[in-house]
Amino acid sequence: MNYRDILENIRLAFPQPVSDPIHDSYFVHSIMRALDQVDTLKTHLPMLGTIVPADFEGARQTTLPATMSSVEDVTAALVGYLRGMTIFGHPRSQQNVIPPPTIPSVIGVLVASLYNPNITWDEFSRLVALAEVEVVGITSKMVGYDPGASSGVFTFGGTGTTLYGVKIGLEKACPGTAQNGTSEDAIVFVSDTGHYCATNIVGWLGIGTNNLVTIPTTPENEMDLTHLEQATRQALANGKKIAAIIATLGTTDAFGLDDLEHIAALRDTLVDEFQLDYRPHIHADAVIGWAWSVFNDYNFEENALGFRPRTIRALAGACRRIRHLSLADSIGIDFHKTGFAPYISSLVLVKNQADLDLVKRHPEQMPYLYHFGDYRPGMFTLETSRSGTGPLAALANLKLFGEQGLCVILGHIVEMTQLLREHLEGHAGTTVLNRDNFGTVTLFRAYPPGVDTFSIKQEEFEDAAYRESLIAHNTYNRDIYQYVHSEAMEGRGVVISITDCYRHTTYGEPIVALKSYILSPFVDEADVKTVVDKVLEAREKLRE
Ligand SMILES: *Cc1c(COP(=O)(O)O)cnc(C)c1O
């Protein structure tokens, strides 16, 4: 066979480079066919098809096929990999901080993928690079940065955003680490309910996990400021440098919000008192909480959108901390969490553009790039190639929702969360653990009949005499979860999740908690009531 015959098929498998409406219909039809096949996987269950056990051992034996397949065959094969996927947008899915992506954000990913812009340089991405800058402008204003002074880039996830923050802080505290390697005296602070990516980052940056200091948190899951003050003073008194203080605004499990106002004031005091020749960098890990900044301008008294009083209280409670985001020197934002965009869509913002110069390389080190053009973030980004999908997906949703739409979608999921808590608090057998955290995640525990749920939470949390009781109830809640989960898999109830350690007790024991994470705009009142009904039903079953 002449290769040219095969080449014909290969060419048909690409979008056509010059206008060809007939081939365009074939392209669209191929996508439609994929969507149709996905549709046949939809049932009443909150997942696609059924869960098929995955043979990872067998998968390692996979080989490259000898000959070409058709677009149709490959499409069918790909759709097959979606079997068993949770439908995160399903009203009966309250599993984790994973949003359902909107249609425009998916189209953002599609159009960027079609023409493959590389936003390392505007020469390779033209106006898609502009989209990145527009998102930086919009979000800078949302969080209260001066868009004339701020800057930012999309990177490889929330983890990447914190990596940027810490790396910039390290350069401020210990100038020249990029050339000389990392000094042993650099310390990073984060709360003990902050994200584990901090551990990763100090490891990868060479700061070392021994130089990561985790600060205990209050029962509200906020960094304990007395401890932070002690720890930072001690570090400075011992001649150490503060590479960064990571403030978490929206912890992953509980939506705890660190008090940035206080942390920034502490930092300023330390600079004066210890006559520091650098300002310790404050990075706000707001990958979850950033979206609440849309309520900074919402008039809670007027409440034009008509949220319930409990919702208003929750939104205002979150804004009380979120409105100080601009005090941070850099901020991490995940559109693939509370921005309803597909992975990966993460943005790190810096308050002062000049901070990015601290991680810039010399042009001689990159001889084949950046000779001209107006926008060359590749001079300082960790990545070389960067996809245009993240910025276009983010921009799609910012344009789609606008301020009002964002208020509505967030307000609704907060309202559903509050409703869930109302139901949970209305029963003697269940209690909410993160009552003072106002996000869309609810951590709760169920107790067997006869336990006084008014006092048990506190007792198990702070009294070591309750260790046995706490451990027994950890097991009890795992059993509750098993029941609720298997019911949900059968189409009876809601998929929630469980965390093995929502936090530790004061005497060091992990507290297991049931967890509802509401991120689907389709969740409604009946769905949250079902969660509680199922937990109560599990309680009855466990009694039998
Ligand atoms: C999810 C999360 C991260 C990590 O973000 P990725 O986008 O998954 O890399 C960091 N911090 C917090 C608080 C998170 O919730």
Side-chain angles (χ1 to χ4, degrees), residues 97 156-159 195 197 248 250-252 285 287-288 334 336-337 346:
V97 58
F156 60 87
T159 304
H195 197 267
C197 72
T248 311
T251 61
T252 318
D285 179 355
V287 297
I288 295 182
D334 272 357
H336 63 226
K337 281 183 177 160
S346 295

Side-chain angles (χ1 to χ4, degrees), residues 38 59 192 205 290 301 308 320 376 401 417 424 433 450 500 515:
V38 173
D192 65 6
L205 281 178
W290 69 275
E301 291 297 318
R308 296 173 355 135
R320 175 171 155 255
R376 297 174 285 184
F401 292 125
T417 306
L424 287 169
L433 299 175
D500 271 337
K515 173 166 152 183

